[in-house]
Amino acid sequence: MDIIKKIESEHLRADVPKFRAGDTVKVHTRIIEGEKERIQVFQGVVMRLKRGTTDSTFVVRKVSDGVGVERIFPLHAPSIDRIEVVSEGVVRQSRIYYLRRLKGKAARIKTKNAW
């Protein structure tokens, strides 16, 4: 088992900031279109974190033109350029799926600074 942990530790990222469910993050992902490469930013609220080693993921939700868009990102993927924490939210649950059924002002999350 030590061999597996050693191989997995080589693929882990060291530049991952501390964030949790309820935080607003900007995820900069590399997108390759043909021969061109560009960086696309996806900003939204973290709905859940799945902890682990190389298989850890997090779900980010944003509302675009009135439609909720969720995207699952692998935390240690090489396609992620960087992750920025915009604001820290105050939530009491580790998985905030209840945001899916809320609309408008009810879907806001209080920030830690205002709390």
Side-chain angles (χ1 to χ4, degrees):
M1 292 306 267
D2 293 332
I3 297 169
I4 294 172
K5 288 182 182 178
K6 184 178 179 184
I7 292 171
E8 284 182 344
S9 67
E10 293 173 0
H11 296 285
L12 297 179
R13 297 174 66 107
D15 62 342
V16 177
K18 297 280 185 188
F19 62 92
R20 40 182 291 216
D23 294 351
T24 304
V25 295
K26 283 184 183 179
V27 183
H28 299 257
T29 55
R30 284 191 202 98
I31 295 182
I32 300 170
E33 296 172 336
E35 296 178 3
K36 295 182 180 179
E37 180 178 318
R38 65 184 176 91
I39 293 184
Q40 186 177 39
V41 180
F42 191 89
Q43 180 174 346
V45 177
V46 178
M47 293 194 66
R48 85 173 289 225
L49 254 93
K50 179 182 171 276
R51 301 279 183 190
T53 52
T54 54
D55 62 338
S56 57
T57 59
F58 61 102
V59 178
V60 180
R61 177 183 175 86
K62 74 174 182 177
V63 177
S64 178
D65 292 327
V67 178
V69 179
E70 292 183 12
R71 192 161 168 195
I72 302 171
F73 293 100
L75 190 62
H76 300 288
S79 62
I80 292 180
D81 188 44
R82 70 181 188 270
I83 301 169
E84 292 179 31
V85 178
V86 177
S87 66
E88 295 181 3
V90 178
V91 292
R92 300 170 83 182
Q93 299 178 17
S94 62
R95 296 178 181 158
I96 53 174
Y97 293 137
Y98 61 85
L99 279 182
R100 291 175 179 162
R101 65 177 179 264
L102 299 178
K103 294 178 183 173
K105 287 187 177 182
R108 290 182 300 178
I109 295 177
K110 291 184 181 179
T111 60
K112 196 172 260 189
N113 303 349
W115 188 240

